[in-house]
Amino acid sequence: MSKVSVIGVGDVGATAAYTLQMSGLATEIVLVDMDRTKAEGHAMDMSHGLFFVPPVEIRAGGYDDCAGSQAIVVTAGARQRPGESRLELTKRNAAICRSLVDGLKPHVGDAVLLVVSNPVDVMTDVAQERSGLPPGRVFGSGTVLDSARFRYELSRTCGVDARNVHAFVVGEHGDSEVFLWSQVHIAGTPIEAFCGGCSHACVPGDAAASLEAARTAIETRVRGSAYHVIESKGFTNYAVSLAVLRILGALLRDESSALTVSTRVGGEYGLSGVCLSVPCIVGARGVERIIEGRLADGERAALARSADVIREATDGVRKG
Ligand SMILES: NC(=O)c1ccc[n+]([C@@H]2O[C@H](COP(=O)([O-])OP(=O)(O)OC[C@H]3O[C@@H](n4cnc5c(N)ncnc54)[C@H](O)[C@@H]3O)[C@@H](O)[C@H]2O)c1
């Protein structure tokens, strides 16, 4: 039995639940939303497709129906408006997060809480504090999506399958995120060495462009990804849902996967008292371990600055 509850079935929650249904990973999916009719509609619609996928019970419910879940995914909240930074959403979403954690608390049992609502680092902090659960059991989707976007851009630039690209984005899931270029590997080869034998133009249409120019272009594209998608269609849902599925896979299958989820640091990388993304080992019990890798000096300083950005937003929410 693997039961997953999704709180908030808007564009992200509903797509994440549908992605989970198609994966066959869960045997039961509960959809919770303040708009119960919408949750019931999604449950019905998804259930009508059960002939085509592995068996799974899908139903709408309330907080009490989340009892017995292995994972509870929190995607409830106010949506990012065009041009609005993630941090501007903070206060609107913190109040929602507190109230739903209060509602969930009596029914959490042994579940892991996976926070997706933005700004995800601050919401993870709010959910962890409010729930009183151990830090490992409450974590955010963090920069798992950003790391995937980083790999996608590298794969296009280098002309290599994204699955052969190893690269992490850490820090805030937002503007101050940090690209760990010192750790980028392609098929086990550090990127600088890979570049030696490569004939691909690093910047499309500019054969003479350097890796340095490509780096800046890649970072700009990844940082602007959510803004561009939101400007085009009003919301993001597909890639984030696949990121959620990847994390749920690590939880439900106890995979001990290395993922850049948002977790409360306790001295790692010289940081503490803040939730942010760093590479973590994720298994059935949630975040089992933070991996403290070796960063370049500039990366370590940028991570500290990113932590300050999140800390300021988190403090603002705690005071307000
Ligand atoms: N972390 C990431 O990588 C990432 C990516 C995309 C979106 N997001 C975030 O996910 C969240 C959801 O985005 P969306 O596009 O699905 O928004 P949406 O507006 O489509 O859906 C939000 C849903 O939450 C519900 N809701 C609000 N308050 C609730 C409560 N107290 N209890 C239960 N349900 C409640 C609403 O009824 C709605 O159905 C946003 O905060 C968004 O910024 C995060």
Side-chain angles (χ1 to χ4, degrees):
M1 284 288 290
S2 45
K3 175 174 176 177
V4 176
S5 300
V6 180
I7 317 290
V9 285
D11 290 304
V12 173
T15 312
Y18 178 60
T19 309
L20 180 64
Q21 173 190 7
M22 290 208 295
S23 75
L25 265 178
T27 53
E28 187 176 353
I29 302 174
V30 174
L31 307 179
V32 181
D33 199 287
M34 61 188 293
D35 182 347
R36 177 73 179 240
T37 309
K38 178 161 77 169
E40 282 169 359
H42 281 307
M44 256 190 287
D45 194 5
M46 289 166 66
S47 298
H48 294 163
L50 281 174
F51 176 68
F52 306 106
V53 292
V56 49
E57 185 191 336
I58 304 162
R59 61 192 169 96
Y63 294 131
D64 51 338
D65 293 290
C66 300
S69 299
Q70 267 83 66
I72 301 176
V73 184
V74 177
T75 60
R79 183 187 290 179
Q80 195 172 17
R81 295 171 179 146
E84 184 182 41
S85 81
R86 292 192 183 94
L87 291 182
E88 286 164 353
L89 277 170
T90 308
K91 292 204 170 176
R92 287 201 291 146
N93 277 332
I96 294 172
C97 189
R98 285 193 191 102
S99 83
L100 72 82
V101 168
D102 289 348
L104 271 175
K105 223 170 155 178
H107 314 290
V108 160
D110 294 330
V112 168
L113 291 193
L114 169 57
V115 181
V116 182
S117 310
N118 275 323
V120 70
D121 303 297
V122 181
M123 293 309 121
T124 303
D125 185 283
V126 169
Q128 203 255 307
E129 288 253 312
R130 194 75 168 194
S131 67
L133 292 170
R137 275 184 57 200
V138 184
F139 63 92
S141 56
T143 56
V144 173
L145 173 58
D146 313 65
S147 294
R149 287 173 172 152
F150 188 22
R151 289 172 189 214
Y152 164 71
E153 292 293 347
L154 281 164
S155 91
R156 274 178 21 126
T157 301
C158 303
V160 177
D161 185 339
R163 293 170 300 178
N164 297 124
V165 176
H166 215 75
F168 289 127
V169 176
V170 296
E172 182 200 8
H173 170 60
D175 298 340
S176 72
E177 64 192 10
V178 182
F179 295 74
L180 297 186
W181 286 99
S182 68
Q183 296 186 7
V184 174
H185 281 69
I186 295 178
T189 308
I191 187 155
E192 286 81 3
F194 181 85
C195 285
C198 181
S199 56
H200 245 253
C202 280
V203 176
D206 183 356
S210 63
L211 175 61
E212 204 48 50
R215 285 183 182 190
T216 307
I218 287 172
E219 289 194 15
T220 304
R221 283 201 296 275
V222 173
R223 277 207 181 86
S225 298
Y227 296 109
H228 288 143
V229 176
I230 289 167
E231 271 162 25
S232 309
K233 61 177 225 181
F235 57 91
T236 63
N237 60 326
Y238 296 120
V240 62
S241 295
L242 288 167
V244 168
L245 180 67
R246 176 70 185 87
I247 299 166
L248 287 175
L251 288 171
L252 300 178
R253 290 156 46 87
D254 195 16
E255 287 178 347
S256 298
S257 298
L259 297 166
T260 52
V261 292
S262 183
T263 190
R264 187 176 297 282
V265 279
E268 295 87 357
Y269 298 96
L271 304 168
S272 56
V274 68
C275 292
L276 85 178
S277 292
V278 283
C280 296
I281 299 297
V282 180
R285 292 185 307 278
V287 172
E288 292 169 358
R289 200 196 129 185
I290 294 174
I291 304 168
E292 194 166 8
R294 192 176 297 159
L295 305 187
D297 289 347
E299 292 168 348
R300 184 172 272 268
L303 183 59
R305 284 196 297 276
S306 189
D308 287 342
V309 169
I310 300 167
R311 199 173 280 119
E312 197 180 318
T314 309
D315 287 350
V317 165
R318 284 196 186 125
K319 282 178 201 137

